[in-house]
Amino acid sequence: MADVILENIEKTYGGHTVLPNLNLTIEDGEFVVLVGPSGCGKSTTLQLVAGLDTVTSGRILIGGRDVTYAPPKDRDISMVFQSYALFPHMTVEQNIAFGPKLRGEPKGKIAQTVREIAAMLQIDGYLDRLPKALSGGQRQRVALARSLVRHPGVFLMDEPLSNLDAKLRIEARSLLARMHRDLGITTIYVTHDQSEAMTMGARIVVMKDGRIEQADPPLTVYNHPKTRFVAGFIGSPAMNFFDLVATPDGLGDDHGRVRLDRMGTARGKVTVGLRPEHIRLLDKLPGAESRNVVSMTVDVVQRLGNETLLDVVSGPFRAIVRADALAQAEPGQVRQFEFDMNAAHLFSTDDGQRIEAA
Amino acid sequence: MQISNMLGLDWLRQNAFVAVFGMAVPTIIFLLFVGYPILYTVYLSFFSWNGADGAKTFIGLQNYTDMWNDSYVWTALKNNFRWLVVTLIFPVVAGYSIAYVLRARLVPFPALVRTVIFFPVTMSLIAVGLMFLLILNPMFGALNVALESLGLGFLIREWFGDHRIAIYTLAFVSGWAFTGMPMIFYFAGLGDVPKETLDAARLEGAGHFRIATRIALPQLRPVTAVVVMLTIFESMRAFDLVAVMTKGAPFGSTTVLGYQVYLESFWNSRVGYGAAISTLILVLSAGLAALVLSRLMKGAFDG
Amino acid sequence: MFNISNGIGRRTVFRLMAASALCMSAVAGSAQADPVELRYFYRAPWPSSEVYANWLIDQWNAKNGDRIHVTGASVDGETYKTKQAIELASSSPPDIFYSWEGGRAAEVIANGFAADLTPYYEQYGWKDALVPASVSLATFDDKQYFLPTEIGASVVWYRTDIYEQLGLSVPTTWDELMANAEKIKEAGITPFNLANQKKWPAQFMWSAILVNKYGLETYDGLVNNTIPWTDPRAVDVTQMMVDLAQNDMFEDSFNSVDLAPAFVPWDQGKVAMWYQGSFNLGAFRGESEKCCTAPMSFFPMPAFPDHDPVMSVFAEDTLMIHAKSPHKDEAAEFLDWIVSQQAMTEKLAIDKPFPSRIDADLTSLSQMEQDLGKAIAGAGAFTFMHVDHAVSPAISDRFLDAVQGALAGAISPEDAMKMTEEAAIRVRGEVLAQAQN
């Protein structure tokens, strides 16, 4: 059990800066997900914590101990890799027992631990098989078993589910969640999949270009994204954005396509963000008094069974609207949409930072 | 039409260039320059022929029974195996170690190191032999001087004069020249070993030695099979270094089968006998290759 | 399918090429009468040998090229043997070729490749013009088969400065030689160089001791298969060599030292004597204008009581005319040019001693070399070749291995000679079988 503190971490490769200055504190027992598009520095961060790579400057503390330059084995960590990194020439048992053997643990104890963990992960039937004789899900569990066997203070997972098919992924998610609940090991989990991040993490760290955009619990990130990037990255389908101009009269564009109520005291160029579920398809023509209604052309209709997604356009604006399963809409139709301004987010168009409306 | 299509004749007709230059010509060249000489060598081994006049005398297995009773052939055979053992250990271990060190970026200027280590492979063995004759020279050779200055003078031996070690001297020189070959193979192979398996082992606390031997090497079985195969052929056809460096001296203790073939065929004018020894080399090489194929290669290319 | 128009294009090109080739040969044919073409296959072990051979051919062609045109092809020493076997047996063999003396020459003659040169020896008077020892080397069954163009001798080379410094005089008997060697050893200098790594050098001393102790007829008996190698006299000489080795008369690690590096301690004055062939004179001369880098001279291997010393004279370069050559007379004419006074004198300037002609002008050489040249010319017809020249390689290889083994102390002198005899028995048996066929 240990907390992890990253202080002023800088990492450069040659002349290329991957992490300019990263600061992050992870509490003991916390499940933190690092999420971001590829190249955002999340995997590099994990490599640095693991000790597979060394920082250019900064400090890493695990369990209060400065491990910035300590070799991986002395960091009280273990890691699950995207490819599982099982040793292909060793049986499942040998894979799991590799670390304990190396650390000189007594044979009897190793055998017992391996059996326990294998039973817990339901791979005790395959102990003498080679990895190539296992299914993807089984391999994944062997990889988990191998990293669990040393009872690490910190658990590092580098996209552990991305090689599984969709069905197995859901099973594995709940397995990992259960494991964390039962064992309470500090976990740093890297993924590029925002929905995985939302469901897995007690806290989500959204990264972009080596910087942390936001580090908050999932719902906070979802409901109060700090930046336009976070707002667009978290949630599926992604949030819709409208670059508008704010005046004392309200929000609008140059051509009068969009007219919205004003939000707060912001003036000048702003970006309004609305999730697909906060734009409502109107069945009939609105009355004259209705506000925040925008006329848009239906471009594509995606019927998912439980709901319908509409791609709509109006001049430079594009949006995805979440509608009922039986919504009456056909491509080419011009329809009216009501924007729920209570749920709208406001960002500065210039730097993407959130503008509080209140 | 149907049948010719099934036989691929239409394809051949449409791709005459490929058919002629891609298949027929290589096959003919192979048969002419590899197949025929091998068969002719085997054929010659049943004859007594001095290589000069046209008179070949069929003598059945006489050459082979002579070979059985020829202490030089036995010495040569043993030496080929000593050679094989040395070259299976020294250059392969050295080549793999260097390849690993280069891949793990444990030395500066890896590209330069790689080039330097590979360079001897491109050198003529004649040049290598002449160079080592100077280096191992007992009067002013660099090796003995280096050993002396390192306080290791007690290690100095008669590298060529002592019949107990001369063959190993030759094998080591051969290994020196050969090290670049396994190195380049392993270097390429290590590039294909998933880095994550090495990282995983590092996380578990494995050092470089253990990663190299226990994690990376077992994943390189196909490469090892190829390297072992090459080493076998290299040691079975050993000749150049013996011809340049010792000519079999001291007193025949450094002869190898390849050198015996040369001696018997061209110096002693016993072409048929030389062909019989060649056939022995062929059988040995093929046998060892089959062994490698069945043991080391088996399953090496499975997932 | 091949493109048809392409096919025609190619065929046309071929026709044009063939036509133009015909035209050119017709032009060439009409310009002059065809000279006799001679192919000369020679051995060029040193760079200077190549230069000299080219000079010989160019001079000849400039003078006689319209009548007899010579084309040369050279092979270095190491691979000559391989190439020779293939060339001689080919359907268009060279007219003139290098053959070696002794056992190898005998094989070439036995295989019917060598033309009998006796008539040419008469016609051109070579018998009187050439050093007698070299003529006797060229003689097999009373017929001459090769023309010696370069000859050499093995002698004891010695450092005159060391001899002077230690107050030694040139020995005339074996015992005096041994006494000198002891004194040299006491002075901390190596008495003899052996440089036996490649195993052939030790036989020089071996055969010289045998001939001088037991007589030429004993040696001839050994190499002509009338005396077995296990004869006590052969064993005794081997034992003497072993005794010398064990008595530290040779340099340290003599079985590890190759010939070329052995010149270093020689030039440094760390070795006093060296029984070796005169073909080393080029190396002794080194970069100097004249021989030699080190102050040195020579004396013949001293004899034992009751025996006259015999000098080993050998034919270093030997030329044969192929039995199947259609132009033997022209070839002989070219050979006569090679042993002419002019060519032999030029050989000294370009290549190395010694010319096979008695009356060759040696004045361009150092005094020591001139003395040796005279000694060779005056050595008479009685001479001997070292073992690897005298007998077939199948026997001599075993002999060389055996002596090297004995010197290393790995086998006894008796076993060494037994090893040689076993190889000799096998070869003689094979010779007999061939004769019956």
Side-chain angles (χ1 to χ4, degrees), chain A residues 79 83 87 89 99 102-103 150, chain B residues 196-197 203 206 210 214 218:
Chain A
M79 187 158 171
S83 65
F87 308 131
H89 54 290
L102 213 57
R103 291 185 285 274
R150 77 181 289 181
Chain B
E196 296 189 333
T197 59
L203 286 169
R210 211 177 291 256
R214 303 282 297 283

Side-chain angles (χ1 to χ4, degrees), chain C residues 55-281:
Chain C
W55 179 87
L56 278 177
I57 295 167
D58 291 345
Q59 288 287 314
W60 172 267
N61 284 341
K63 221 181 292 172
N64 307 302
D66 53 344
R67 198 167 53 83
I68 303 166
H69 184 263
V70 176
T71 315
S74 73
V75 175
D76 64 80
E78 282 293 327
T79 44
Y80 187 86
K81 222 155 249 189
T82 319
K83 292 270 172 66
Q84 189 203 40
I86 297 160
E87 283 279 334
L88 293 189
S90 83
S91 53
S92 58
D95 301 280
I96 302 162
F97 61 92
Y98 170 80
S99 75
W100 267 284
E101 56 177 348
R104 188 77 191 186
E107 274 182 29
V108 175
I109 296 164
N111 285 321
F113 295 132
D116 179 7
L117 301 188
T118 317
Y120 301 119
Y121 265 76
E122 300 284 341
Q123 184 184 337
Y124 293 106
W126 290 338
K127 219 169 218 170
D128 303 321
L130 302 181
V131 168
S134 72
V135 175
S136 78
L137 289 169
T139 306
F140 297 77
D141 293 334
D142 293 331
K143 289 179 194 160
Q144 283 79 45
Y145 281 97
F146 65 71
L147 183 71
T149 57
E150 180 186 319
I151 56 172
S154 298
V155 290
V156 182
W157 309 98
Y158 71 100
R159 292 276 306 215
T160 47
D161 53 341
I162 295 174
Y163 260 61
E164 230 165 79
Q165 189 190 323
L166 299 177
L168 303 174
S169 52
V170 171
T172 52
T173 66
W174 177 258
D175 290 340
E176 284 174 27
L177 178 65
M178 287 298 110
N180 282 354
E182 280 297 340
K183 282 182 194 144
I184 291 164
K185 197 174 81 177
E186 277 163 29
I189 297 168
T190 305
F192 292 99
N193 244 358
L194 197 62
N196 198 40
Q197 197 236 330
K198 296 275 165 66
K199 79 196 179 187
W200 59 265
Q203 63 166 331
F204 279 49
M205 209 158 180
W206 190 95
S207 43
I209 295 173
L210 190 120
V211 168
N212 281 356
K213 186 169 182 182
Y214 292 113
L216 193 56
E217 56 293 347
T218 310
Y219 187 70
D220 283 343
L222 283 172
V223 300
N224 295 330
N225 301 324
T226 56
I227 299 174
W229 290 88
T230 44
D231 187 274
R233 290 168 286 189
V235 174
D236 175 49
V237 173
T238 313
Q239 184 65 56
M240 284 174 72
M241 291 285 290
V242 172
D243 290 346
L244 287 174
Q246 284 173 355
N247 201 15
D248 290 332
M249 287 296 175
F250 303 126
E251 76 273 29
D252 288 343
S253 318
F254 54 81
N255 272 344
S256 297
V257 180
D258 200 5
L259 194 72
F263 285 92
V264 175
W266 176 262
D267 286 338
Q268 289 171 341
K270 290 178 178 166
V271 185
M273 294 181 283
W274 198 353
Y275 185 75
Q276 256 299 337
S278 60
F279 50 81
N280 290 303
L281 280 169

Side-chain angles (χ1 to χ4, degrees), chain B residues 2-70:
Chain B
Q2 278 290 351
I3 291 172
S4 70
N5 204 5
M6 273 161 62
L7 294 174
L9 288 180
D10 283 357
W11 183 89
L12 283 183
R13 214 171 283 152
Q14 281 149 17
N15 298 277
F17 185 83
V18 174
V20 171
F21 290 97
M23 292 156 70
V25 170
T27 308
I28 290 167
I29 288 177
F30 175 82
L31 289 177
L32 209 62
F33 293 102
V34 180
Y36 171 72
I38 287 178
L39 289 178
Y40 190 65
T41 301
V42 176
Y43 167 81
L44 268 185
S45 72
F46 299 110
F47 289 83
S48 168
W49 183 37
N50 65 13
D53 55 18
K56 299 188 193 72
T57 314
F58 182 78
I59 53 168
L61 292 173
Q62 182 67 43
N63 282 329
Y64 291 93
T65 51
D66 282 357
M67 222 158 70
W68 184 262
N69 296 316
D70 186 341

Side-chain angles (χ1 to χ4, degrees), chain A residues 198-239:
Chain A
M198 287 294 288
T199 52
M200 301 290 297
R203 190 150 61 109
I204 297 180
V205 177
V206 185
M207 294 181 69
K208 184 195 173 204
D209 297 337
R211 289 171 212 278
I212 294 175
E213 296 271 316
Q214 187 167 7
D216 279 312
L219 287 180
T220 310
V221 173
Y222 188 83
N223 293 325
H224 297 281
K226 277 188 181 166
T227 65
R228 184 188 154 153
F229 170 77
V230 174
F233 190 76
I234 301 291
S236 177
M239 188 183 279

Side-chain angles (χ1 to χ4, degrees), chain B residues 12-17 20-21 48-53 57 66 70-72 133-134 136-140 157-163 242-253 259-260 262-264 266-270, chain C residues 1-2 78-79 81-83 85-86 88-89 100 104 107 111 113 196-200 251-258 261-265 392-395 397-398 400-406 408 410-411 419 426 430 434 437:
Chain B
L12 283 183
R13 214 171 283 152
Q14 281 149 17
N15 298 277
F17 185 83
V20 171
F21 290 97
S48 168
W49 183 37
N50 65 13
D53 55 18
T57 314
D66 282 357
D70 186 341
S71 67
Y72 273 64
L133 273 183
L134 288 176
L136 299 172
N137 179 304
M139 289 180 300
F140 46 80
R157 293 286 179 279
E158 285 203 40
W159 303 115
F160 296 117
D162 189 331
H163 63 99
V242 177
V244 180
M245 297 181 79
T246 64
K247 300 204 184 303
F251 47 100
S253 66
Y259 192 69
Q260 283 303 117
Y262 165 74
L263 273 188
E264 297 291 0
F266 295 113
W267 285 84
N268 297 349
S269 303
R270 299 171 76 194
Chain C
M1 275 291 226
F2 284 115
E78 282 293 327
T79 44
K81 222 155 249 189
T82 319
K83 292 270 172 66
I86 297 160
L88 293 189
W100 267 284
R104 188 77 191 186
E107 274 182 29
N111 285 321
F113 295 132
N196 198 40
Q197 197 236 330
K198 296 275 165 66
K199 79 196 179 187
W200 59 265
E251 76 273 29
D252 288 343
S253 318
F254 54 81
N255 272 344
S256 297
V257 180
D258 200 5
F263 285 92
V264 175
S392 74
I395 304 172
D397 262 359
R398 290 292 190 275
L400 296 179
D401 282 343
V403 171
Q404 195 178 35
I411 50 173
M419 215 171 120
R426 188 185 58 73
E430 213 173 51
Q434 273 181 0
N437 288 336

Side-chain angles (χ1 to χ4, degrees), chain B residues 13-295:
Chain B
R13 214 171 283 152
Q14 281 149 17
N15 298 277
F17 185 83
V18 174
V20 171
F21 290 97
M23 292 156 70
V25 170
T27 308
I28 290 167
I29 288 177
F30 175 82
L31 289 177
L32 209 62
F33 293 102
V34 180
Y36 171 72
I38 287 178
L39 289 178
Y40 190 65
T41 301
V42 176
Y43 167 81
L44 268 185
S45 72
F46 299 110
F47 289 83
S48 168
W49 183 37
N50 65 13
D53 55 18
K56 299 188 193 72
T57 314
F58 182 78
I59 53 168
L61 292 173
Q62 182 67 43
N63 282 329
Y64 291 93
T65 51
D66 282 357
M67 222 158 70
W68 184 262
N69 296 316
D70 186 341
S71 67
Y72 273 64
V73 168
W74 284 107
T75 306
L77 187 62
K78 281 180 210 154
N79 281 343
N80 272 105
F81 277 96
R82 290 186 181 115
W83 196 294
L84 176 61
V85 169
V86 171
T87 50
L88 269 181
I89 297 169
F90 159 53
V92 175
V93 169
Y96 178 63
S97 310
I98 295 166
Y100 182 84
V101 163
L102 290 174
R103 273 288 176 205
R105 301 189 177 280
L106 299 177
V107 289
F109 310 116
L112 179 72
V113 172
R114 204 170 69 214
T115 310
V116 168
I117 301 289
F118 190 71
F119 181 66
V121 176
T122 66
M123 273 170 84
S124 143
L125 278 178
I126 308 290
V128 171
L130 292 175
M131 190 174 87
F132 271 93
L133 273 183
L134 288 176
I135 292 174
L136 299 172
N137 179 304
M139 289 180 300
F140 46 80
L143 180 70
N144 289 2
V145 173
L147 287 175
E148 290 273 13
S149 59
L150 290 171
L152 297 170
F154 62 92
L155 285 176
I156 291 178
R157 293 286 179 279
E158 285 203 40
W159 303 115
F160 296 117
D162 189 331
H163 63 99
R164 284 158 302 190
I165 64 172
I167 184 66
Y168 297 104
T169 307
L170 286 174
F172 267 94
V173 172
S174 152
W176 178 88
F178 190 63
T179 296
M181 193 63 92
M183 179 204 68
I184 219 78
F185 274 88
Y186 278 121
F187 184 79
L190 279 170
D192 289 339
V193 171
K195 185 178 172 292
E196 296 189 333
T197 59
L198 310 184
D199 284 345
R202 245 175 96 195
L203 286 169
E204 298 285 0
H208 282 300
F209 179 76
R210 211 177 291 256
I211 294 176
T213 54
R214 303 282 297 283
I215 304 296
L217 194 59
Q219 298 187 58
L220 289 166
R221 253 177 65 194
V223 179
T224 302
V226 171
V227 165
V228 167
M229 196 87 97
L230 278 178
T231 308
I232 287 173
F233 295 151
E234 189 74 12
S235 68
M236 283 300 137
R237 63 170 205 186
F239 163 74
D240 325 44
L241 286 177
V242 177
V244 180
M245 297 181 79
T246 64
K247 300 204 184 303
F251 47 100
S253 66
T254 60
T255 194
V256 290
L257 290 172
Y259 192 69
Q260 283 303 117
V261 170
Y262 165 74
L263 273 188
E264 297 291 0
S265 303
F266 295 113
W267 285 84
N268 297 349
S269 303
R270 299 171 76 194
V271 177
Y273 190 55
I277 304 176
S278 298
T279 307
L280 174 66
I281 298 175
L282 177 72
V283 169
L284 280 175
S285 304
L288 287 170
L291 198 71
V292 172
L293 278 173
S294 66
R295 293 289 160 83

